[in-house]
Amino acid sequence: MADFSLFGGADSLSEGRSPRRTFPSASGKEKNATLLPPQDPADFLWLHTEEPHRSRRLEIMKKHPEVTKLMGYEPFTKYVVFGVVTLQFAISILFAQYHVKWSSPLFIIIAYAIGGTANHNLFLAIHEITHNLAFPRIWQNKTLAIFANLPIGIPYAAAFKKYHLEHHKFLGQDGIDTDLPTKLELYLLNNVLGKVFFATFQILFYALRPTFVRVQTLTSWHILNILAVLLSNYITYSLFGPTPLIYFIFSSFFAGSLHPCAGHFIAEHYLWDGQDQETYSYYGWWNIVAYNVGYHNEHHDFPSIPWTRLPKLRELAPEYYDALPAHPSWPMVIVNFIRDPEVGIFARAKRVPTRSGIVVPKAKKVGAEGDESDKNE
C-alpha cells in the first residue's frame, strides 16, 4: 500500500509547501507523481461525468456481496449522543454556578478545547443520524437528532437532513448540492485573507448558504426542532442565566472555526494538486471523536453503513480505497488551504444539474492530435 502521508501539502509547518506526492505504481511500489497543472483560480472545475461513488458502490457490491452485512443501524450511537449532551449541559451549568465569566481565559479555553470538540461531535452525530443509522425507525432517528441539537443552541437538525441527503444524491450539482461554494464566495474570498475568513467562519457559511441557494418548505419536524431548541434555551436561561447559552454558542462557533475537527469540512471535497478527485478520506485519530467521518470515500460509497463499520468496509475492499490519495492531517488541511495559492474557494468540482441526478459523459472530441476525452473523476 502506498504511503500518502505527504499528500495534500506539507504535513508540518516547518516543511513548507512540499511538491512531493506519492501514488501507487503499477508494480505496487511507491513512486513520486508529477503534479498536474494548477486549476484555473477564476472558476470551479466543471465535470461532465457521473459522480464516482455510485459506480464504485455497484462494483464493490458485485465483487464483495458480503458488504451488505455491514449495513444497518448502530445501537451504540444513542449512548454517545446522550453522554456528549450531558457533558455539555454539565459544563455550562458548572460555569453558571461558579460564576465563570464568558470573557475569562478559562471559559474560552474550555469552550474551545472541550466545548468545540463536543459540539463538533454532535454535528457529526446529527450527520450520522440523518442517514437513519441510530435506530431502526425514522421517527426515532429524527427525535434523537433534535435531542443532539440542544447544546448547539441553534435549531438546524431537521433542515440539515434534506440538504445533506441532496448532497449525497446530487454530489457536485450546482444549485442543488449546498455544500458547494457560490459564485459570490468565489468572487469575494478567493485570496489569502478571504480564505482565512472562510476557515474562521465556516460554521456560518454552512448554516447560511443553504438558505440562499435552496430554500426548504417547513415541515412539522422543522417546527418541532425549532420549538424544542428554543424551549430548551428558555428553560436553561430561566434556571441558570445566560452563561450556559453563551457557552453553547461559543462551543458551536469554535466547532466550525479554526478547530482541528473542522478541517474535515475542507478535507472532504476540495481539490488538490490539479487532481479531479472530488472526495478524500482521512484515517487519523481525530476520527475517534468524529464518528469516523474521515472515512469519507467509504461513507459516500455506502451511506447505509454506520460509523463503527466504515473501517471494516475499507478492510473488505482495500483494492478500491488503498489506491486513493488521503489526507494525513485535518489541522494541516486548514493551514495548507490558507497558504497554498493553488487551492482555494475555486477548488471544487461542479456539475450542471440534471433531473435524474446522473451526468452522462460527453462524446469524445476528435482533433488533429487524436482523441481527447473529458476529465473523469
Side-chain angles (χ1 to χ4, degrees), residues 153-225:
I154 299 173
Y156 88 100
F160 174 79
K161 182 179 179 72
K162 182 175 175 58
Y163 286 129
H164 184 68
L165 295 181
E166 288 177 341
H167 166 65
H168 274 265
K169 187 176 181 180
F170 304 103
L171 181 66
Q173 293 200 27
D174 192 36
I176 300 178
D177 182 359
T178 57
D179 188 71
L180 293 164
T182 62
K183 289 183 179 180
L184 182 62
E185 292 170 62
L186 177 68
Y187 178 76
L188 296 177
L189 304 174
N190 212 17
N191 51 63
V192 173
L193 290 179
K195 289 191 287 184
V196 170
F197 182 85
F198 177 81
T200 304
F201 297 97
Q202 285 186 81
I203 190 66
L204 296 181
F205 286 92
Y206 284 100
L208 299 178
R209 181 195 296 145
T211 304
F212 292 99
V213 174
R214 193 170 175 82
V215 179
Q216 290 186 16
T217 302
L218 288 179
T219 67
S220 58
W221 281 103
H222 288 82
I223 296 172
L224 180 61
N225 187 185

Side-chain angles (χ1 to χ4, degrees), residues 285-360:
W285 68 273
W286 281 106
N287 280 305
I288 296 173
V289 295
Y291 286 90
N292 280 332
V293 76
Y295 287 77
H296 214 65
N297 270 300
E298 293 84 346
H299 170 65
H300 268 267
D301 288 351
F302 291 91
S304 57
I305 294 180
W307 61 285
T308 53
R309 298 173 212 154
L310 289 176
K312 294 179 182 178
L313 169 61
R314 187 189 179 202
E315 293 174 5
L316 178 67
E319 68 274 24
Y320 289 94
Y321 298 115
D322 289 350
L324 292 175
H327 289 293
S329 168
W330 277 343
M332 284 307 302
V333 163
I334 298 176
V335 173
N336 292 324
F337 173 78
I338 291 172
R339 69 179 177 174
D340 190 340
E342 294 183 6
V343 66
I345 303 298
F346 61 90
R348 289 295 300 264
K350 284 194 174 187
R351 296 177 174 82
V352 176
T354 63
R355 289 184 180 180
S356 65
I358 298 177
V359 182
V360 180

Side-chain angles (χ1 to χ4, degrees), residues 366-372:
V366 180
E369 298 180 7
D371 291 345
E372 181 181 331

Side-chain angles (χ1 to χ4, degrees), residues 247-266:
Y247 172 74
F248 291 160
I249 297 301
F250 271 52
S251 296
S252 296
F253 171 75
F254 287 137
S257 183
L258 300 176
H259 189 282
C261 287
H264 84 83
F265 288 131
I266 297 172

